[in-house]
Each structure stands twice: as structure tokens, then as C-alpha cells.
Amino acid sequence: MAEQELVLLLEMWFRARDEERDAIIAAVKFGAGSKEQLCLALLNSDENLQTAAAQVLMRCGFIPKEGQARAQYFVLHGEYEIAADQGPAAVKPLVSELSNVSASDTRAKIIDLIATLDGTAELVSLLEDPQFDVRLSAMDARAKLKAI
């Protein structure tokens, strides 16, 4: 499946009804190499494509094997601790997720996970975030790191 075909397929996913989505799932399940391309789509800069790729992969019963694509998959499904288990590859997806999460306790949890992954540079940049609770959580996480 070519990259352009994959983008078209994922765009169709957003507009499709449930019965049409089943056909899209079948196309992915039986398409040569399409699961690997969907894993790459998880890393695309377009958040809509990332979300669609994660949904299609989940419906296909396929989870990326490793690295940032695996971490992104779990972040998009709200499984932040499992994403963090991927190590430093999870830092970028977790930081990106902060802008999509509105609950301050969830943001704090994500920031603590970033700190445990030694995302010091990211914590410093979060000190300038427009959201007060993000700045506060980043300061707390940095203080915890310095205390260790």
C-alpha cells in the first residue's frame, strides 16, 4: 500500500460509518505491508492521521512492536504508563499529549512519567507552557529529580 493510499484510507476512516469501517479494517488486515505503514503513520505530524492509524491498528488487533511508534500507540489510547515502559522513546509522544489533555491530574501524571524517563530538557521547556498547572507540575518534577 503506497503512502498516498494509506493517507486516503485514513481520511476515509474519519468519514466512514461503522459498516464502512469494517471494510477499511479488512483492507488493512489483508494489505501487504499496510500494518507497518500504519505504524509509521503513528509518527506523522498530523494528529488526525495518528489517531486514525491508532484506531485502525487497534481494530486490527495489531500493536507496534517497539520504539516511538509503540509508545505513540499507547499514548493515543491513554495508556501512559505502558507508553513510558518503552523508555526514552516515549518522551516525545508524552510531551505532545499534554496539549490534548485537559485534566490537571492527568497532565501531572504525564509530566511525572516524563521525569522518570529523564526528560530533563523537556521539563525545562514545559516551564514556559501557557498552562499554569503544567508549569507547576514541571517544577515539582524537576525538584523531585534534583532531590534524588
Side-chain angles (χ1 to χ4, degrees):
M1 185 179 295
E3 185 177 340
Q4 291 174 335
E5 292 172 330
L6 179 64
V7 170
L8 179 62
L9 183 75
L10 293 175
E11 287 173 353
M12 287 172 35
W13 177 261
F14 282 113
R15 293 189 297 270
R17 296 185 305 265
D18 283 340
E19 60 273 9
E20 293 167 332
R21 286 185 173 188
D22 291 339
I24 294 169
I25 297 300
V28 170
K29 280 186 177 180
F30 299 109
S34 57
K35 290 177 187 168
E36 290 77 15
Q37 289 177 338
L38 281 168
C39 290
L40 291 175
L42 289 171
L43 305 177
N44 191 294
S45 60
D46 183 335
E47 289 184 14
N48 290 332
L49 286 180
Q50 290 176 2
T51 302
Q55 290 174 354
V56 171
L57 286 168
M58 184 178 74
R59 294 270 301 262
C60 289
F62 185 80
I63 299 173
K65 292 183 176 121
E66 60 188 0
Q68 192 173 349
R70 184 175 176 88
Q72 182 70 23
Y73 174 87
F74 285 114
V75 165
L76 290 169
H77 289 294
E79 300 288 345
Y80 307 122
E81 291 88 0
I82 298 172
D85 289 343
Q86 306 314 303
V91 172
K92 185 177 177 182
L94 287 168
V95 170
S96 295
E97 182 67 1
L98 287 172
S99 63
N100 298 323
V101 175
S102 59
S104 60
D105 58 331
T106 304
R107 286 182 186 168
K109 178 171 74 170
I110 291 171
I111 291 169
D112 283 343
L113 290 169
I114 293 166
T116 63
L117 296 170
D118 198 25
T120 307
E122 288 78 6
L123 289 175
V124 170
S125 69
L126 291 174
L127 293 173
E128 297 177 15
D129 193 272
Q131 299 293 323
F132 175 75
D133 64 312
V134 170
R135 293 191 307 268
L136 184 62
S137 294
M139 285 184 355
D140 289 345
R142 286 200 67 219
K144 288 177 194 174
L145 283 177
K146 287 182 179 181
I148 294 175

